[in-house]
Amino acid sequence: MDWSKTKNILIIGLILTNLVLGFYIYKSESLFNRNRIAEKVSVQEVIDILEKKNVYINMESVKYFSRLNDIEATYEQHDPEVVAKKILGSFEKVGNTYIGGKYRIEFGHDNIEMNMVYTGKDLVTKNTNIEEAKVIADNFIKMLDYYDKNMKLTESSTDGKSVTLVYQKTYKDLFLEDSYMKIVINNRNVVNFSRKWLVVTTTYDSTRNVVPPSKALFTFFDQLGYREKPMVITSVELGYRLGGDQFKTDVRSGDALPYWRIGTKSGEVFYIEAAQ
Amino acid sequence: MKLESVKTAIIAVLFATCLIMSGRIMMDLSSGNENNLNTKALSSVPGNVDVICPQDYVVSFGGGLHTGVFDEALQRQIWVDSVKLIRNASETGIYEPVTAGVWTTAVNNRGVLLRMPFDCDEEMLALLAEKELKSGAVESFNVIVMPTSEPGQFYLGNVSKGQYVRCTFRSEGTPLSEIVDQVENQPYAEFRSLEAVYSIKSILNPQNADNFAENDNVIPTLPLQNFRKLSLKNDAASGSVSAEDMRRMAANAFGSDLSFVKKISDVDGSVVYVYGYGEKSLKIGIDGRIEYKKSKPGSEKNRLAFAEALHRSLSALVAYGKLPENIYVVSYRDGISDQGVTQTFGFAYRMKGIPFILKQGSLQPPIEVTFTNGEITNLTKNMWHENGEIHSIEQEATPFVDMLDKNFKTLQKAGPARTAGETDSHYAYRLLNGIKRIELVYTLNTGGDVAIGEPVWRIDVGARSFLLDYFDGSMIENLPIEGGGR
């Protein structure tokens, strides 16, 4: 038997097989992983492309981690009796609503959400100073034992009468979406307080590659149609979100996935899948 | 010699590369492919023919006297024997259209009447016959009549479409004769046709198609005594599915690699598995409802053959736990949606010999599978089973005729429009004549502390299904008929 000839035939056969397999893999990746195209695109190129769509970027920097841990988070359940006692002192309970003095507190979604409303008529039109409001809010949150070192003030605004402050839960300084404390202060009093708060229960050892911001913007561009009115992007932030299933689950707990959150000057928010 | 060593090394490298790439492709194919849904328990996937079967079984003794068959063993025997006859006919059968008069005579003659759950066509008849049929005569049928007095014949009819076909084939006898004799020799509940009870033809003019249509519905002349309320239990209800079983279901739905699958718990205790960023989701509901959804199906319009789609549905369902032995196809819809070609199979099962269905805005099958462009995009499975009968003192059934009288005004709401100058009596007969479907079903009531299966009469008038309490005859509710009904 001519071994040398057999080896030649075998080499040719294997090369052809590898070419077919390689082509199959290349084809499936180019079909299903369009993001690979975006990897070659620079931030400047993306900015240029977005501007052609009437979208402009006006922000300073983007915080980016190339890998993120998988995490599991659970919504904290309020203890209505304890909360009502701290805020109202004595109270009357009607279903899930606690009434005392000039306040009414409602609890919903298995006590995951709470909303306190001031029902008095003595609200003033006097402007409250935002810095002063922050101190009042801080004291109020501490009084309820809801102070969390992993939280960030994400919104502070005033309509001339009241000051609205929104705090968001963070994980390693990244946002944890749909986890907030919203406080409205008027006349040095907290007149509205709503809270829904996530707690990270597990940080898994497993990590995921995170798509770079340029790629996230490219994907955003891909999803966005042409805008008649100019859009100005003011923030591109990395964080986690729960949910996202097709059953509109009223989430109590679960595994969170990384997202890029793109905010605009007009207040629109877009989410781009960040794990690859 | 050195060249030979180099060649050997190249072969080794190429072989290794080949193995790595093959492995990669195998992994790609196995993750997130719905074909994985059928990797388990393939042996327990029911055959297509096992799940195409009638909704109602009626035995006729001749002279317009009938009875309903509610014994499941007997139902099975009737269907097995009937399918044998359909298969016999596939060899020598000649299909020919017949008149409504011939059809009505066949319905009232001695034999068996099988009411199919949905409109069938020649493709489904061929599936039962296990042979390709090209008669051209069978367009649509939802009732099969197997006369025992004429062993070499059977009839296929669709009253609402006015289509009647007789199949004549070579036969030396029919095993159904014995069954009819057997039923006749035991105590049975007497059923008569609406025509026999109300003499509709004597009021409406059968020659006038606007006024009169053939109606093959039969009703009991005395209250049935067979049915009780049932206490029901769900196989996958809260706490009854272990974490391991849930993971197995997720692996069936998304492929064995669960690294890109996240788990979410609902406030109500339901558990949801999500693949990636929501492309596919699987929910194991607190109420035992298992639901799978896939978004973004392939864009290429693709319609699966009925038999292939049915087999794939059953294989997928088995992956989420055992199926009831008496599962059958209760509805089939084939259409076009925004996303492409959709094919939806509804499956039901029986309790005490009658179908079990759900009320969810309309009457819904407890199990449903939808394909979009040939891919499963929706699957729901509600597996309830009987956990004993509920006995109470007021469990006397209302006579059917009294129940119709009691609810006549409500039924009129969905009935035909009155013609100018039409008398009440004439209109009442026209309404009776227009009843499309009368059947006894179990429906689920989860309103109280326990889940209850309630026997109800379903009466289809116009585009509505009216549900009437089997015991006191009161109107429970009326719901729109999905897809226009039979």
Side-chain angles (χ1 to χ4, degrees):
Chain A
M1 183 183 277
D2 187 349
W3 270 109
S4 179
K5 216 171 188 179
T6 310
K7 281 181 182 174
N8 288 343
I9 293 166
L10 207 55
I11 288 169
I12 292 165
L14 282 167
I15 288 172
L16 287 175
T17 312
N18 281 340
L19 279 174
V20 170
L21 293 172
F23 177 72
Y24 181 88
I25 290 170
Y26 169 77
K27 202 179 150 204
S28 59
E29 290 208 347
S30 60
L31 269 176
F32 298 114
N33 199 359
R34 284 181 302 156
N35 289 335
R36 280 181 183 274
I37 304 163
E39 276 174 6
K40 297 168 190 165
V41 182
S42 72
V43 175
Q44 191 50 53
E45 278 174 293
V46 174
I47 289 170
D48 292 345
I49 292 167
L50 284 171
E51 283 184 0
K52 280 181 194 160
K53 282 212 166 194
N54 226 357
V55 178
Y56 303 90
I57 294 180
N58 179 16
M59 51 180 221
E60 285 173 4
S61 62
V62 177
K63 185 180 277 184
Y64 167 56
F65 296 96
S66 60
R67 294 190 74 81
L68 283 180
N69 286 86
D70 288 335
I71 60 166
E72 187 190 10
T74 304
Y75 278 110
E76 206 175 274
Q77 273 182 298
H78 297 96
D79 186 333
E81 302 280 333
V82 172
V83 175
K85 205 168 182 182
K86 280 184 181 168
I87 299 176
L88 310 173
S90 59
F91 56 83
E92 188 192 340
K93 186 185 169 204
V94 184
N96 288 331
T97 305
Y98 292 73
I99 303 157
K102 291 178 178 175
Y103 290 94
R104 193 182 73 236
I105 312 173
E106 285 172 359
F107 296 90
H109 295 262
D110 207 15
N111 297 333
I112 282 173
E113 285 181 21
M114 74 161 279
N115 187 28
M116 184 205 80
V117 183
Y118 181 75
T119 54
K121 308 284 181 200
D122 51 343
L123 294 178
V124 296
T125 53
K126 191 178 75 179
N127 194 0
T128 308
N129 178 294
I130 288 183
E131 288 309 314
E132 194 184 3
K134 281 182 189 172
V135 177
I136 296 165
D138 201 45
N139 289 336
F140 186 79
I141 290 168
K142 281 178 179 160
M143 183 270 288
L144 290 171
D145 287 332
Y146 288 157
Y147 180 78
D148 190 327
K149 62 180 181 188
N150 295 313
M151 69 182 193
K152 188 177 169 185
L153 180 66
T154 54
E155 187 188 325
S156 56
S157 59
T158 176
D159 60 359
K161 299 173 189 172
S162 307
V163 173
T164 301
L165 303 171
V166 180
Y167 296 87
Q168 189 167 38
K169 170 81 179 180
T170 58
Y171 169 75
K172 291 186 175 171
D173 218 19
L174 305 172
F175 70 80
L176 264 182
E177 201 60 322
D178 209 18
S179 176
Y180 59 85
M181 279 191 270
K182 184 178 174 185
I183 304 178
V184 181
I185 292 158
N186 177 289
N187 197 20
R188 299 181 56 82
N189 285 317
V190 176
V191 293
N192 190 292
F193 177 72
S194 50
R195 182 176 185 266
K196 192 179 175 190
W197 207 245
L198 274 170
V199 178
V200 176
T201 46
T202 314
T203 302
Y204 296 103
D205 293 335
S206 55
T207 57
R208 292 181 195 281
N209 287 329
V210 176
V211 300
S214 59
K215 196 167 158 186
L217 283 168
F218 187 82
T219 310
F220 176 58
F221 152 78
D222 207 25
Q223 293 173 2
L224 200 70
Y226 178 78
R227 318 271 300 191
E228 278 295 325
K229 285 184 182 172
M231 175 195 270
V232 180
I233 293 174
T234 50
S235 66
V236 177
E237 294 168 278
L238 189 59
Y240 288 90
R241 268 180 98 191
L242 274 169
D245 63 294
Q246 296 171 63
F247 300 107
K248 296 185 174 67
T249 305
D250 191 358
V251 181
R252 176 197 290 280
S253 63
D255 301 325
L257 278 180
Y259 280 84
W260 283 104
R261 183 174 66 187
I262 297 174
T264 69
K265 199 175 177 182
S266 60
E268 285 179 290
V269 177
F270 301 87
Y271 296 94
I272 302 295
E273 299 161 5
Q276 60 180 355
Chain B
M1 199 61 203
K2 201 174 178 183
L3 182 67
E4 290 308 307
S5 302
V6 172
K7 279 183 186 174
T8 309
I10 291 171
I11 288 169
V13 169
L14 285 171
F15 188 69
T17 318
C18 188
L19 280 180
I20 291 164
M21 286 201 280
S22 304
R24 167 80 186 270
I25 290 168
M26 293 297 282
M27 287 244 305
D28 280 356
L29 289 175
S30 72
S31 69
N33 189 333
E34 74 187 30
N35 290 333
N36 284 293
L37 295 175
N38 59 19
T39 52
K40 298 221 169 179
L42 269 178
S43 58
S44 54
V45 176
N48 282 356
V49 178
D50 302 330
V51 296
I52 303 280
C53 56
Q55 173 104 333
D56 295 325
Y57 296 77
V58 175
V59 164
S60 306
F61 305 114
L65 177 62
H66 314 266
T67 191
V69 177
F70 302 109
D71 178 279
E72 283 193 48
L74 196 56
Q75 288 174 344
R76 252 193 307 278
Q77 192 54 51
I78 288 173
W79 184 234
V80 166
D81 288 345
S82 301
V83 171
K84 272 184 203 161
L85 292 173
I86 291 170
R87 283 180 193 159
N88 285 351
S90 68
E91 297 294 332
T92 58
I94 296 163
Y95 294 86
E96 55 179 341
V98 291
T99 62
V102 172
W103 169 257
T104 305
T105 306
V107 166
N108 287 308
N109 277 347
R110 194 173 179 83
V112 169
L113 184 146
L114 307 163
R115 212 177 290 281
M116 301 303 283
F118 56 96
D119 287 356
C120 302
D121 57 14
E122 198 165 77
E123 191 182 357
M124 287 164 216
L125 190 65
L127 197 70
L128 293 172
E130 291 183 327
K131 195 179 174 188
E132 201 175 337
L133 297 174
K134 280 185 181 160
S135 75
V138 184
E139 272 183 50
S140 173
F141 66 95
N142 50 37
V143 175
I144 304 172
V145 174
M146 294 280 177
T148 52
S149 50
E150 308 161 88
Q153 290 182 345
F154 66 78
Y155 296 81
L156 306 168
N158 186 329
V159 167
S160 59
K161 291 185 177 168
Q163 291 173 2
Y164 312 103
V165 170
R166 175 170 54 203
C167 175
T168 311
F169 59 100
R170 244 193 339 262
S171 169
E172 289 172 4
T174 165
L176 290 167
S177 292
E178 279 178 34
I179 294 177
V180 175
D181 292 346
Q182 183 194 329
V183 173
E184 194 174 29
N185 292 330
Q186 289 169 1
Y188 62 84
E190 184 183 293
F191 279 57
R192 295 270 179 186
S193 66
L194 279 174
E195 168 58 32
V197 175
Y198 292 100
S199 302
I200 298 169
K201 276 183 191 170
S202 67
I203 305 294
L204 304 180
N205 178 5
Q207 306 305 320
N208 183 347
D210 291 340
N211 275 344
F212 183 80
E214 293 297 327
N215 191 319
D216 49 31
N217 284 298
V218 293
I219 57 172
T221 54
L222 292 169
L224 297 175
Q225 301 301 332
N226 317 39
F227 302 97
R228 295 281 174 273
K229 286 185 181 178
L230 303 175
S231 163
L232 301 182
K233 207 175 161 187
N234 197 297
D235 288 353
S238 166
S240 58
V241 183
S242 67
E244 194 183 329
D245 278 346
M246 285 194 205
R247 271 198 301 278
R248 187 181 55 75
M249 286 186 201
N252 277 321
F254 309 128
S256 52
D257 179 11
L258 295 183
S259 61
F260 211 53
V261 173
K262 58 178 180 167
K263 185 182 170 189
I264 302 168
S265 299
D266 193 293
V267 164
D268 71 2
S270 302
V271 173
V272 178
Y273 287 91
V274 186
Y275 181 82
Y277 280 93
E279 296 94 310
K280 300 177 207 169
S281 307
L282 172 71
K283 180 174 183 174
I284 297 131
I286 193 75
D287 56 354
R289 180 184 166 98
I290 294 169
E291 195 169 2
Y292 165 85
K293 276 180 191 287
K294 179 178 193 255
S295 62
K296 300 176 192 163
S299 55
E300 194 181 330
K301 287 197 168 77
N302 178 21
R303 180 193 178 275
L304 297 174
F306 179 86
E308 189 194 344
L310 179 56
H311 178 70
R312 283 176 59 183
S313 301
L314 292 164
S315 303
L317 287 166
V318 165
Y320 297 104
K322 220 175 143 187
L323 290 172
E325 276 181 18
N326 54 14
I327 186 173
Y328 68 100
V329 182
V330 72
S331 61
Y332 173 67
R333 295 194 304 275
D334 186 344
I336 304 278
S337 74
D338 294 344
Q339 291 193 305
V341 178
T342 58
Q343 294 169 269
T344 303
F345 289 90
F347 296 91
Y349 40 89
R350 293 174 190 280
M351 289 181 182
K352 302 285 182 195
I354 59 173
F356 173 72
I357 49 177
L358 305 174
K359 297 176 288 179
Q360 287 167 343
S362 62
L363 290 173
Q364 295 286 338
I367 300 171
E368 202 166 57
V369 179
T370 299
F371 291 85
T372 307
N373 293 337
E375 283 181 76
I376 293 177
T377 47
N378 205 326
L379 178 151
T380 54
K381 191 176 174 192
N382 272 287
M383 291 289 294
W384 292 92
H385 62 79
E386 190 194 329
N387 197 28
E389 289 185 348
I390 301 170
H391 291 268
S392 63
I393 42 169
E394 72 279 9
Q395 282 187 323
E396 279 296 310
T398 302
F400 191 89
V401 175
D402 294 355
M403 189 176 68
L404 270 188
D405 284 348
K406 193 174 168 181
N407 295 286
F408 209 77
K409 278 195 173 156
T410 317
L411 295 177
Q412 280 182 31
K413 289 176 188 167
R418 268 181 191 259
T419 54
E422 188 173 23
T423 63
D424 286 354
S425 155
H426 190 272
Y427 180 75
Y429 277 91
R430 224 153 45 85
L431 179 62
L432 280 171
N433 185 233
I435 291 176
K436 292 178 188 166
R437 180 194 283 231
I438 298 172
E439 68 182 11
L440 198 53
V441 294
Y442 268 110
T443 59
L444 175 67
N445 183 344
T446 49
D449 295 337
V450 286
I452 295 173
E454 291 178 329
V456 298
W457 282 103
R458 170 186 178 176
I459 299 178
D460 286 4
V461 179
R464 312 288 297 182
S465 281
F466 293 86
L467 300 181
L468 302 154
D469 191 288
Y470 167 81
F471 299 107
D472 66 14
S474 63
M475 181 70 65
I476 298 171
E477 62 184 304
N478 78 79
L479 301 163
I481 299 173
E482 280 279 303
R486 193 157 58 192

